[in-house]
Structures are given as structure tokens and as C-alpha cells.
Amino acid sequence: MTEVSRELEIHKSTSYRLLTTLRDRGLVEQDAATEKYRLGFGLVLLARTVSADLDILRCARPVCDRLSERTKETVTIAVLEGDDAVIIHQSISRASALSVDWTGRHTPLHATAAGKIFLVYMPEDQLLRILGEPLERFTENTIVDPQSLQDHVKEIRATGYGYTVEELEIGLNAVGAPIRSAEGAVVGTVSVSGPAFRLPSDALPEIGDLSKRAATEISRCLGFRG
């Protein structure tokens, strides 16, 4: 600890707090005999998470570009981070009416197509905890009633795609499908979003099928054979 404190030019008490926090999270380990610190196994888990996201991006980019040009809308890839869906890639068609960059944005699970897919496949205790908390209303169409959201989640499981109709923003609709890893776990989503006048409710099933095909192609690139 003294060496860390001296190297970083911080007080020993600060060094102690930082190392204790890192140790509690498995990022460093302390040798019981020498009391020296070394890197912990938790770093390997972090590296695996980053590697998984990079694999998704490698597989998803060309698929998203093709889907975006076919639908003439914006296509995004999202992963689950805590209780948010985080967009890690975006492909925008040259004909798209949208120009907003969503990359890196955290979006709510109950009001987005990607988020609803994560609700379907997340552990039940996490789902019940989310449903047990007040759900933020973004528009008059946002589903904030827990039972109604659960019923909607069941529908997504049956159809294989999730959708939103002006639930996050007025005038914005979206459709998404799950991306699976080689082991079959849902590790991400691919979604198509666009203005409601170009992506009306009656077009969602067709876009949903295209999204599912894209998600299947990405999943197979990741090694999924289901």
C-alpha cells in the first residue's frame, strides 16, 4: 500500500480506500503473507465483457448497414448494462429522416424496443424488481402499468420481436429482435427505428421479420446454431 501511495502521490488513507474498493470487486488481490497487491481475476471478467461487445460489433456492422439501406431507417445495436439498454452501434441510411447519433446513449427498458427484449430474457428477480419500481412516463403511450408491461413482454416472447409505438418520443416507432451468443444467451439486440409516418404500426410485423433475420445472421456469426 505504501508503494502504491508513493507511486500515485496520494495519501495512504486514500490509497487504502481505493485498494479496498478494488479488492472488494475482485479487481485486485492481496497476498496474505506479504500484504502486497496484484491484479485480480475480476479484470478477466471485465475483459471478457469488452471482448463480447467487440465480437457483436464485428458481426453486426455489415448486417446493420444492409438492414438500414433496405428499410431506409436507422438501425442500432444495444447491450444490457445494469437496468439500461446501451446503444453501442448505429447505422443510418442515406434516406433516413433521422440524424441523431444514439451511440453510447442509455435508454429505458420499458420504453424501447431493445429494452423490452431484455425484459423478456433477463432473470426473473431483476424483472420483478424493475416492475416493482415506478416506471417513468415519457409520452402518453408509455406503458407504466406493471401488469400491462408484463402482458406486453409475453407477446414479445411469442412473436420474437419487440416494438414501441411513440413510447419514448412522440413520432418515433421502433422494432427490435434478440441477438444470441454461441451458448444461446441473449447478449444484445438489433433494432430499426424511424418516424411514425414512415414506420407506421401496420408495418411493424414486416420490419419485425427483417429484424429477426438480421439478429439471426449476427447470432450465427457469434457461433449460435439454434
Side-chain angles (χ1 to χ4, degrees):
M1 187 184 306
T2 301
E3 292 174 0
V4 171
S5 175
R6 184 169 57 247
E7 182 69 23
L8 297 180
E9 298 181 352
I10 58 177
H11 196 273
K12 285 185 179 180
S13 61
T14 303
S15 175
Y16 172 78
R17 289 197 300 271
L18 293 173
L19 287 169
T20 299
T21 299
L22 293 172
R23 184 192 63 198
D24 291 344
R25 286 160 175 75
L27 300 178
V28 299
E29 300 173 352
Q30 187 177 24
D31 187 287
T34 65
E35 295 188 349
K36 287 183 177 294
Y37 288 87
R38 62 189 177 207
L39 298 180
F41 184 71
L43 286 174
V44 177
L45 300 178
L46 283 178
R48 287 178 180 172
T49 300
V50 173
S51 176
D53 288 352
L54 291 175
D55 285 343
I56 293 175
L57 288 175
R58 174 179 56 81
C59 292
R61 282 193 180 102
V63 179
C64 290
D65 289 344
R66 290 196 301 270
L67 182 59
S68 179
E69 289 307 315
R70 177 165 183 177
T71 61
K72 309 302 182 187
E73 302 298 350
T74 299
V75 176
T76 54
I77 298 293
V79 296
L80 182 64
E81 185 175 299
D83 291 344
D84 292 334
V86 181
I87 297 172
I88 62 173
H89 175 71
Q90 174 174 286
S91 293
I92 303 180
S93 167
R94 287 167 291 185
S96 174
L98 300 179
S99 59
V100 178
D101 187 359
W102 291 71
T103 307
R105 181 170 172 177
H106 288 239
T107 57
L109 300 183
H110 67 290
T112 59
K116 290 178 181 179
I117 293 167
F118 289 127
L119 289 176
V120 173
Y121 296 101
M122 68 172 41
E124 185 176 5
D125 59 342
Q126 184 180 7
L127 173 62
L128 293 177
R129 177 176 55 77
I130 291 173
L131 294 178
E133 299 172 353
L135 299 173
E136 183 177 354
R137 180 180 293 281
F138 297 94
T139 74
E140 61 180 14
N141 292 334
T142 307
I143 303 175
V144 296
D145 175 65
Q147 186 57 56
S148 298
L149 186 58
Q150 276 190 304
D151 293 341
H152 189 57
V153 165
K154 292 178 182 178
E155 178 187 344
I156 294 172
R157 185 180 291 275
T159 61
Y161 64 86
Y163 65 89
T164 55
V165 178
E166 301 187 72
E167 295 171 44
L168 181 63
E169 297 179 8
I170 292 296
L172 179 68
N173 292 347
V175 186
I179 298 170
R180 296 181 182 273
S181 67
E183 295 76 23
V186 173
V187 293
T189 64
V190 54
S191 302
V192 178
S193 59
F197 70 89
R198 286 175 41 158
L199 199 65
S201 298
D202 57 6
L204 298 185
E206 178 185 356
I207 302 299
D209 285 340
L210 293 176
S211 299
K212 288 195 293 183
R213 293 178 192 174
T216 297
E217 185 175 350
I218 298 170
S219 299
R220 291 195 180 281
C221 178
L222 292 173
F224 181 60
R225 294 295 178 263

